[in-house]
Amino acid sequence: MYYYSLRGEAIDRREAPPPPKEAAAEKVDGSPQPQPQAELRLRLPAEIDWDRLDKWRFFVLGAGLFSAVSTALYPAVVLKTRLQVAPPLAHAAASSLPPSAAAAATAILRSEGPLAFYRGFATSLAGTVPARALYMGALEATRSAVGPTALALGAPEPVASAAAGAAAGLAAAVAAQVVWTPVDVISQRLMVQGNPCPASRYRGGLDAFRKIVAADGLRGLYRGFGMSILTYAPSNAVWWATYSLSQKTIWSGIGCYLCEYGVGVQEIDAGEGDSSLQPGYKTVMVVQGVSAAMAGGASALVTMPLDTIKTRMQVMDGEGGEPITVGRTVRRLIKEGGWGACYRGLGPRWASMSLSATTMITTYEFLKRLSAKGHESSLP
């Protein structure tokens, strides 16, 4: 049996399985027992730390790659937002938006056309580049600092890895929201154009910016900033911690299988008779993608009520001129549909976050390898 560490150190598992019966059986005529084969170890590619990245290449390539991913996933975000601010079911006759995700998507496509799924996309894309730069910078810098510190303090490697992921996700979310909250406010207002809930109508991102600032000042652009932090900070902490633990769980389940049957691995000669098995890059990406999907689904389920409250605070206006607060938003939401209303749009958000997480993490890990100093040697 074989074990490993996600930072590339190979560790032998003490309890080896019994040899096959054919190997254990004695040969006739007193022939010698077959010599046991040398134990191989599964060695994963080492983590690429912040200091090893070419920062310029990392941010420039990241802007292009993540913009392409955001383009593909944007319709699911629009559908989720529409469902979250939809009128209560008791007044569904006055709404063009049916309650189910599939019916809502069909209704939007029929009444507003396919471009409705890309309303606010230009504004969102413009904010993606600086927000992602802040996110990735804070993520890598924090993870590279917390992980070694936790190990130096004597924490076990799995605990140190999960703690580094949680701290990095928390710091990255807070840094990104400085840019992303105004972009979110504007783009979500544009997403729901045609939905009868919001009273305002905008001709584009700049028009929405001017009207929001004219009505509420700069505070209007940061409406729901506190809820955004409360939503995305724990969401990212849960995501990165779950992602780290999911990888370890998956590798512990299939690592022995890969070594036993040589599936998706190649033997690496380390010299002096020492050799190990290294999984191929495609195998590593599959494990990372599955781990990301598991983490995305868990994060979506845990933080869905917070995301619904945040979205309604950023998009909907108060009743009777009352200021928008968390308490009033929650009471209004529960009055409309009970606690179940907090999970409106869970299906699209679950699918979006799982698919986004899978796509983003494989893109992100590929980006890190492309951006590593001397990256030609980092790619198999």
Side-chain angles (χ1 to χ4, degrees), residues 246-262:
S246 297
Q247 279 199 91
K248 294 180 183 298
T249 302
I250 293 174
W251 279 118
S252 65
I254 71 171
C256 300
Y257 172 86
L258 295 178
C259 289
E260 183 73 21
Y261 296 100

Side-chain angles (χ1 to χ4, degrees), residues 23 51 55 71 78 100 106 128 152 159 175 190 197 263 310 314 371:
D51 293 337
K55 309 302 189 297
T71 302
V78 172
S100 73
T106 302
T128 293
V159 175
L190 297 173
C197 288
V263 179
K310 171 196 73 73
Q314 291 177 329
S371 305

